Amino acid sequence: MTQHVPDTMQAITCSEPGGPDSLRLSILPVPRPQAGEVLVRVMAAGINRPDIMQRQGLYPPPPGASPLMGLEIAGEVVAIGPDVPPGVFPAMGARICALVNGGGYAQYCTVPVGQCLPWPAGYDAIHAAAIPETFFTVWSNLFMLAGVKAGDSVLVHGGTSGIGTAAIQLVRAMGGTIYATAGTDDKCTLCTALGAKAAINYRTGDFAAHIKELTDGRGVDVILDMIGASYLEGNLRSLAIDGRLVIIALQGGIKADGVNLARIMTRRLVVTGSTLRPRDAAYKAEIARQLEEHVWPLLARRAVRPLIHATFPFARVADAHKLMENGSHMGKIMLDLQQSSTVTAG
C-alpha cells in the first residue's frame, strides 16, 4: 500500500568523519519499506548525541541500519511494507513519531512498525519528534532495567539534556524523588523548575558530597549516568545500600582508575549499562508499548513534556550540531523538514 512517493529525496550525508561543516544536503533514492516496516514522510527529526559521534566516526550504525544519521522522527505513513497485517497501527496516512535505527535526517525514512507511536494529543510534528530517543532511553533504563518505583530516589547527570529533562519529569510523575547535576546555575534552576528536589552545579562542587548531605548520608537508589569513567567513583559514593548505577554514555572516558571496588561489595551495589540502538525490534517494540500505556497519558495532559531548546531548518543541520557540541542548550534540538531547501548544509 502506498501513496505517491517520489523516487528521490533530500537527505543529510557525511562522506567522511569530520566536524559539523562536513554535513551535506544530498539527493538520494527514497528507501522502500521491507517486511514489517512502514515508510514515513518525515516532518521533523531530533538531534542527539549519538548523531554527533556518528558524524565523527566514533559510532557506526549497527548491521542492517541506514548509514544516515537521525534516530527519532515524526511524520506521516506513506507506504506499508509486506507482512504488516491490515487494520493495525500504523495505517496509511497515520501521523506517527518513532525511534528509528538510522536514517532520520531525510525526507523519507523506513521504520519497524513496533517502534511507531501516535502523536500525543495536541502535539505538532516538532514536539512529537522530540519524544522518542529520550523517552525510550529513560523509560528502558530507569523503569525497565533499574526498576525505579514510587518512593525511590534518583540522580540524573546532565539534567538539562534531552534525557535529563525527560528523566526529571518522569521520575517525579511516577512518584520518585529526583536530583540532578548541571553545569551552570541557570541550568540548575531549570532542573528544579521541572521537578528536581535539588540540582547540583558540578563545576562548583563535589556532587557526591552534595548528595550525601541532601539525603542525610543515605545516598540515592538509582543513578542514570552519561559521563562514565570520570564520574564512577563519585557515583559509587552517591549510592544507597542496594543502589543501582546505569551507565548509558561515556562522555568522561571509558577507563576508570583509582576506583574503590570494595564499596560495590559492602553496599551491595549493582553497576550496569546499556546501548539502545543495537537492540532488536522486539525489545524496542516492548518499550513503545509500555510508553503508550504509562507515558502517553502523561504527555496528553501535559504532566510531562519534551522541552524544545531550538529548531533549525533542515539545511542548517550543521548549526544544530554546533549548538549541541557547545553544550549551552537546555532541552532538545530539532530539525524542521517541512521547510524544504536545495542548498548545501554546512
Side-chain angles (χ1 to χ4, degrees), residues 121-290:
Y123 274 51
D124 60 15
I126 297 296
H127 288 82
I131 298 170
E133 169 67 12
T134 51
F135 281 77
F136 271 72
T137 298
V138 170
W139 187 264
S140 61
N141 283 287
L142 283 184
F143 297 94
M144 295 172 66
L145 180 59
V148 170
K149 61 187 182 302
D152 281 348
S153 57
V154 177
L155 169 64
V156 60
H157 293 300
T160 57
S161 66
I163 286 173
T165 55
I168 290 170
Q169 294 178 83
L170 282 176
V171 170
R172 180 207 62 197
M174 295 296 171
T177 300
I178 180 81
Y179 303 93
T181 63
T184 70
D185 290 343
D186 286 344
K187 289 185 175 183
C188 288
T189 297
L190 176 60
C191 291
T192 55
L194 290 171
K197 183 175 182 180
I200 303 157
N201 186 336
Y202 62 81
R203 298 184 190 278
T204 60
D206 177 359
F207 73 82
H210 281 290
I211 287 296
K212 184 175 182 180
E213 180 180 355
L214 289 165
T215 60
D216 296 324
R218 178 183 180 275
V220 295
D221 297 301
V222 176
I223 298 174
L224 184 63
D225 176 55
M226 309 169 219
I227 307 303
S230 63
Y231 271 23
L232 182 56
E233 176 67 21
N235 283 335
L236 296 180
R237 289 193 288 120
S238 300
L239 283 169
I241 292 174
D242 294 317
R244 291 90 76 196
L245 167 62
V246 182
I247 301 169
I248 60 170
L250 300 166
Q251 297 176 33
I254 63 173
K255 295 183 179 180
D257 297 322
V259 175
N260 180 4
L261 298 181
R263 187 173 284 109
I264 298 175
M265 299 167 60
T266 58
R267 297 180 69 80
R268 302 190 301 272
L269 306 181
V270 174
V271 179
T272 186
S274 74
T275 54
L276 183 55
R277 192 177 187 186
R279 298 298 296 262
D280 62 30
Y283 182 77
K284 293 173 184 176
E286 175 58 21
I287 302 171
R289 186 196 67 76
Q290 293 194 24

Side-chain angles (χ1 to χ4, degrees), residues 8-22:
T8 61
M9 65 179 182
Q10 294 179 349
I12 301 299
T13 59
C14 183
S15 59
E16 58 184 23
D21 292 333
S22 65

Side-chain angles (χ1 to χ4, degrees), residues 95-118:
R95 292 197 164 188
I96 63 98
C97 57
L99 181 74
V100 301
N101 302 325
Y105 289 12
Q107 290 179 313
Y108 291 88
C109 181
T110 56
V111 191
V113 293
Q115 292 165 218
C116 297
L117 286 158

